[in-house]
C-alpha cells in the first residue's frame, strides 16, 4: 500500500526584531530552519507589523508597488523615501520619512523635528490618484501635533511675523491658521490612522509627556512642547475648526507626536495598526490550509498585550481555527499570559543563548536553531490516499 501524506504548511507572520532583523529577515530565517528540520514542509513568509515601523515593508511584501521620491526629513533635510501603492490605496509610513531613527535624540532635535515629510508623501499619493491612504505611525521623531503634515498639505500657519517655522518648538508662536488651501482631494479620500496608541494629544498622558523623553526632550523641553501643542489646539478652535478640542482629547490623538490629532482633523478613521496591516496583506486568505502560524517580535512582554503584532496575529489565527506560536528575542510573558493571548507557546532566543548581546548580533542563525522546537507544534501528517500492495511514504504538496 502506498500512503501519500500532505506536507505540513506553516505561515510565518512575524514583526521585526528591532535592532537585529527586519520582519522579512525574521521570516526568511525561520523558513530556512524549518525546511532543514522538517523536509518537505511548505512555508509561506508574510512579514507584518503593528502600524509603526515595518508597515511599509509588509505592504511591499504583500505585493504593493513601491513609489520612490525625495521628501523633507525630520530636521528639514531632503531624504530619499518611498510609500506603497495598490490601485487607489496608498500606504505611508512615518518612520520612513520622519523617523526617530533618522536623528540623534536631544533637546534641539525634539524641538525642531517636523512631520512635513509625511504630509508630502500623502500629497504625492493624492496627486497620483490615491483615494484611500493608510497612515502608519510609530517611531516618529517629531512632536509637532501634525502641523508640519498639514502645512505640506496646504495649510498655512502664521504669527504676527509671518509663516511659522516647522517643529514643535515653534508651535507656541502660532496666532492664525488657514486651512482653505488644503489639498482638494482630501475631501473625497478615506484616511486610515493605523495605530495602537490611545493617548490624547495633551496632558500627563499626552504626546509630549509620554513620548517626548524618548525623543530627547528633558523636563524644560517637554514643557515647551506641551505649550506649543496646547497653543496649536487653541488657535485651531479659535479660527473655527470643527471639533478641534474634541479631537485633541480623543484616543489616538497623541500618536506620533500628535500626527494622530492632525489625521483626526482630516476625518481619519482610527484602526488598530496590526488589524489594518493584516487586512492589507491578505492574512486571512493566506491562512487557508495552514497547520501552524508562527509570529513574534524582538521583545515579547506586557506591552505586547496591548495591540502589538504577535497578539493580533494570534487572535486572527484563532478566529480561523489555526494554532499560533511565537518566537522572540526575549520573553517577558508568563505561560499563562501567552496562552490567554492565544499563543500556544513562546520560544525565545535566550532559551538557546543566554548572552543577550549575542542574541542581538546573531539573531538570524539563532532563529534557525529554534526550528526543531517549532516543528514540535506541527500535527501528525494526514494520509491523503492509500492504494496498491506495497507500503511506502511520501510528501505531497497539497
Amino acid at each position: 500500500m502506498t500512503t501519500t501524506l500532505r506536507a505540513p504548511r506553516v505561515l510565518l507572520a512575524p514583526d521585526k526584531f528591532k535592532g537585529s532583523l527586519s520582519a522579512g529577515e525574521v521570516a526568511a530565517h525561520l523558513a530556512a530552519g524549518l525546511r532543514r528540520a522538517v523536509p518537505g514542509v511548505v512555508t509561506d513568509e508574510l512579514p507584518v507589523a503593528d502600524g509603526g515601523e515595518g508597515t511599509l515593508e509588509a505592504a511591499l511584501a504583500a505585493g504593493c508597488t513601491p513609489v520612490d521620491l525625495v521628501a523633507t526629513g525630520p530636521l528639514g533635510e531632503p531624504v530619499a523615501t518611498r510609500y506603497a501603492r495598490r490601485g487607489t490605496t496608498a500606504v505611508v509610513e512615518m518612520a520612513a520619512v520622519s523617523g526617530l531613527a533618522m536623528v540623534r535624540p536631544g533637546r534641539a532635535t525634539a524641538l525642531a523635528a517636523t512631520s512635513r515629510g509625511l504630509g508630502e508623501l500623502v500629497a504625492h499619493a493624492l496627486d497620483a490618484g490615491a483615494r484611500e491612504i493608510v497612515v502608519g505611525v510609530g517611531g516618529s521623531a517629531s512632536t509637532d501635533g501634525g502641523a508640519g503634515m498639514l502645512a505640506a498639505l496646504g495649510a498655512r500657519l502664521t504669527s504676527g511675523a509671518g509663516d511659522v517655522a516647522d517643529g514643535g518648538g515653534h508651535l507656541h508662536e502660532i496666532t492664525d491658521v488657514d486651512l482653505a488651501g488644503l489639498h482638494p482631494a482630501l475631501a473625497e479620500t478615506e484616511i486610515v490612522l493605523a495605530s495602537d496608541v490611545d493617548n490624547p494629544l495633551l496632558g500627563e498622558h499626552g504626546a509630549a509627556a509620554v513620548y517626548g523623553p524618548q525623543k530627547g526632550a528633558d523636563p524644560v523641553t517637554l514643557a515647551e512642547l506641551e505649550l506649543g501643542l496646547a497653543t496649536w489646539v487653541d488657535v485651531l478652535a479659535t479660527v473655527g475648526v470643527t471639533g478641534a478640542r474634541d479631537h485633541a482629547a480623543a484616543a489616538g490623538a497623541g500618536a506620533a507626536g500628535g500626527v494622530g490629532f492632525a489625521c483626526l482633523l482630516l476625518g481619519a478613521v482610527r484602526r488598530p495598526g496590526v488589524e489594518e496591516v493584516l487586512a492589507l496583506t491578505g492574512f486571512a486568505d493566506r491562512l487557508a490550509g495552514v497547520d501552524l502560524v508562527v509570529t513574534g517580535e524582538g521583545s515579547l512582554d506586557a506591552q505586547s498585550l496591548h495591540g502589538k503584532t504577535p497578539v493580533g496575529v494570534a487572535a486572527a489565527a484563532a478566529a480561523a481555527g489555526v494554532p499560533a506560536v511565537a518566537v522572540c528575542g526575549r520573553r517577558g510573558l508568563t505561560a499563562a499570559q501567552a496562552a490567554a493571548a492565544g499563543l500556544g507557546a513562546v520560544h525565545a532566543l535566550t532559551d538557546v543563548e543566554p548572552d543577550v548581546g549575542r542574541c542581538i548580533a546573531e539573531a538570524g542563525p539563532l532563529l534557525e536553531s529554534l526550528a526543531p522546537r517549532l516543528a514540535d507544534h506541527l500535527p501528525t501528517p494526514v494520509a491523503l490516499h492509500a492504494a496498491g500492495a506495497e507500503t511506502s511514504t511520501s510528501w505531497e504538496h497539497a
Side-chain angles (χ1 to χ4, degrees), residues 236-263:
L236 286 167
T238 299
V239 301
V241 175
T242 304
R245 296 193 192 282
D246 290 338
H247 288 314
V259 160
F261 170 65
C263 288

Side-chain angles (χ1 to χ4, degrees), residues 209-381:
V210 175
Y211 301 106
Q214 70 189 38
K215 300 176 184 182
D218 58 20
V220 172
T221 307
L222 291 176
E224 293 177 55
L225 292 170
E226 182 73 10
L227 173 62
L229 293 171
T231 302
W232 173 224
V233 175
D234 287 343
V235 173
L236 286 167
T238 299
V239 301
V241 175
T242 304
R245 296 193 192 282
D246 290 338
H247 288 314
V259 160
F261 170 65
C263 288
L264 294 174
L265 286 175
L266 296 175
V269 176
R270 175 175 166 260
R271 296 178 186 158
V274 64
E275 292 182 15
E276 184 64 23
V277 172
L278 292 182
L280 182 72
T281 57
F283 179 82
D285 293 336
R286 304 280 275 268
L287 282 172
V290 166
D291 297 302
L292 179 69
V293 171
V294 180
T295 185
E297 62 182 348
S299 180
L300 194 63
D301 51 31
Q303 275 194 334
S304 304
L305 302 177
H306 301 283
K308 295 300 184 182
T309 298
V311 174
V313 168
V322 181
V325 299
V327 294
C328 60
R330 184 187 68 84
R331 182 198 300 106
L333 296 180
T334 65
Q337 286 176 312
L343 295 167
V346 176
H347 299 284
L349 298 188
T350 50
D351 294 340
V352 296
E353 174 49 66
D355 185 338
V356 175
R358 188 180 169 203
C359 286
I360 294 172
E362 302 177 25
L366 290 172
L367 279 171
E368 295 184 28
S369 73
L370 284 177
R373 303 186 185 201
L374 300 178
D376 291 341
H377 301 287
L378 291 171
T380 302

